[in-house]
Amino acid sequence: GWQGWRLALCVLAWLLGNVATAQTPHGKNAEPPAYGAREDVMRFADDLAARHNELDARWLRQQLQRARFVGTVQKLIMPPPVVNGKATVKDWAAYRARFVERERIAAGVAFWRANEAWLQRAEERWGVPAQVIVGVIGVETYYGRLTGTFRVIDALATLAFDFPSGRRDRTTFFRSELEQFLLWCARERCDTAQVQGSFAGAMGLPQFMPSSLNTWAVDFDGDGHVNLAGSSADAIGSVARYLNYFGWERGAPTHFDVRPPDDDGNRALLLGPDILPLFSAEEFTERGATLTAEGRSHEGPLALVELHNGDGAAPSHVAGTRNFWAVTRYNWSSYYALAVIELGAAVAERR
């Protein structure tokens, strides 16, 4: 009767649904299976245990079983959308206004006052001025106000095992970062499910990725733990040590004002290396670039850095030194570096 046909139709629908799901990676709109149920993830855990004596295979499997896929992470890791066939136009003035503004400057002054001794100690040890460290932490997390709300174990697992298509695959990078995160958690005996950070897995006031945390972060307050989320001292020391490692020169400027050459060929030649400082001040002058007196007397190499100001507006230019280059090692962007430098300078002036 009708009940028998209804049962048969339900069974048929169930079978068709399973076939459809099997024909796509995780079903049309379904999330991937829990990471603890995936053989590739468990093999990853066993491989880590085989390579690191300090990591227990059972503990690793337990931690990865706690990880959850986050679709928002997949979306956020993608490049900006193309609108009407055109990529998003960079705008230095708009970018700067996000960071060098009244409230963030005031927060920077308060952070500096609260951590003056640590900033002074860091500058004495690694040569990085307090205002640059303050600029980094202010741009990265608004002095701890915006450190990220994603569970790091979820973000890294999503990007390590379900990296989205449509851009250059960085699965290998994020598997390495997940490995470094687990190493840090095991060493610090922290709860992997409680650590929060950005959608890409960056953590704490200075937003260090796990590999940077394990390589350059320091226990600056001497409490026996590296805590970039809860210790301003550790964050300050870690930023200074990082910039020092990447070539910060004590007492040297970050950049000079410059007018680029009028000649298209000379301008293109100086812009060629982008933010990498390769030209002497004399070569700048010979190619038609106009430097300030301080810039002309600078003995180190310079880079002609160009920052666009949206459609129709003339770009801005600076002559970046090795110290400008060092700041870009934190985030490989001239816009980021100049925002850090100018925020730090504005905080120092307000202070």
Side-chain angles (χ1 to χ4, degrees):
W2 166 243
Q3 292 296 334
W5 277 106
R6 186 177 180 186
L7 177 61
L9 287 170
C10 287
V11 171
L12 179 61
W14 179 82
L15 288 170
L16 289 173
N18 276 347
V19 169
T21 301
Q23 290 173 344
T24 59
H26 305 299
K28 187 175 180 181
N29 296 309
E31 292 183 356
Y35 287 119
R38 286 175 52 172
E39 290 185 9
D40 59 330
V41 179
M42 294 300 99
R43 283 197 304 271
F44 175 81
D46 293 341
D47 176 63
L48 292 190
R51 290 191 288 109
H52 298 284
N53 293 332
E54 67 271 38
L55 296 180
D56 176 71
R58 183 180 176 185
W59 180 83
L60 286 167
R61 283 172 167 254
Q62 289 173 341
Q63 304 318 305
L64 291 170
Q65 284 167 1
R66 304 169 81 185
R68 295 292 178 265
F69 169 81
V70 182
T72 305
V73 166
Q74 282 189 326
K75 294 175 183 176
L76 290 172
I77 204 68
M78 296 299 286
V82 175
V83 180
N84 298 324
K86 300 171 91 174
T88 304
V89 178
K90 292 182 177 180
D91 189 332
W92 160 239
Y95 185 91
R96 181 187 188 279
R98 287 171 51 196
F99 300 105
V100 189
E101 50 84 24
R102 182 173 56 84
E103 291 188 3
R104 199 172 300 233
I105 293 169
V109 171
F111 180 84
W112 195 327
R113 285 174 178 161
N115 297 284
E116 188 163 3
W118 295 116
L119 288 163
Q120 183 177 345
R121 281 185 58 189
E123 182 169 354
E124 290 171 355
R125 181 167 176 180
W126 289 289
V128 182
Q131 70 182 56
V132 173
I133 300 171
V134 169
V136 168
I137 295 174
V139 168
E140 288 291 340
T141 62
Y142 205 148
Y143 305 103
R145 295 186 190 183
L146 305 171
T147 56
T149 58
F150 293 91
R151 292 201 318 171
V152 170
I153 189 79
D154 295 340
L156 292 177
T158 298
L159 297 173
F161 301 112
D162 291 293
F163 195 86
S165 59
R167 63 162 296 171
R168 180 171 64 87
D169 185 20
R170 303 191 70 196
T171 294
T172 300
F173 170 79
F174 283 105
R175 289 193 180 186
S176 176
E177 291 299 329
L178 178 57
E179 175 179 351
Q180 293 295 318
F181 174 69
L182 291 166
L183 282 165
W184 175 72
C185 287
R187 185 174 66 249
E188 291 289 335
R189 299 188 178 184
C190 62
D191 185 347
T192 59
Q194 297 299 316
V195 182
Q196 292 189 324
S198 77
F199 68 87
M203 297 175 283
L205 276 74
Q207 292 290 276
F208 270 29
M209 291 297 288
S211 59
S212 293
L213 192 159
N214 286 335
T215 306
W216 293 291
V218 292
D219 172 21
F220 204 39
D221 59 13
D223 69 352
H225 297 281
V226 174
N227 182 3
L228 299 186
S231 170
S232 295
D234 288 2
I236 287 165
S238 298
V239 170
R241 185 184 181 201
Y242 184 96
L243 293 176
N244 173 270
Y245 177 86
F246 283 99
W248 185 274
E249 296 181 341
R250 187 185 296 267
T254 55
H255 65 284
F256 303 101
D257 291 335
V258 63
R259 193 183 77 188
D262 294 326
D263 178 75
D264 291 341
N266 282 328
R267 181 183 301 184
L269 186 145
L270 292 179
L271 287 173
D274 193 22
I275 50 182
L276 182 63
L278 292 178
F279 301 101
S280 66
E282 185 178 359
E283 288 173 311
F284 258 55
T285 302
E286 289 173 354
R287 295 290 178 177
T290 305
L291 287 162
T292 61
E294 294 83 357
R296 290 194 301 273
S297 63
H298 183 67
E299 295 182 357
L302 299 171
L304 181 60
V305 178
E306 183 171 86
L307 304 101
H308 296 280
N309 286 305
D311 284 325
S316 302
H317 296 88
V318 297
T321 67
R322 286 195 183 104
N323 282 351
F324 189 93
W325 166 259
V327 179
T328 67
R329 299 310 85 196
Y330 206 100
N331 181 320
W332 292 25
S333 162
S334 54
Y335 297 79
Y336 171 88
L338 199 55
V340 161
I341 292 163
E342 295 201 0
L343 173 60
V347 172
E349 182 179 356
R350 177 73 59 84
R351 189 170 165 272

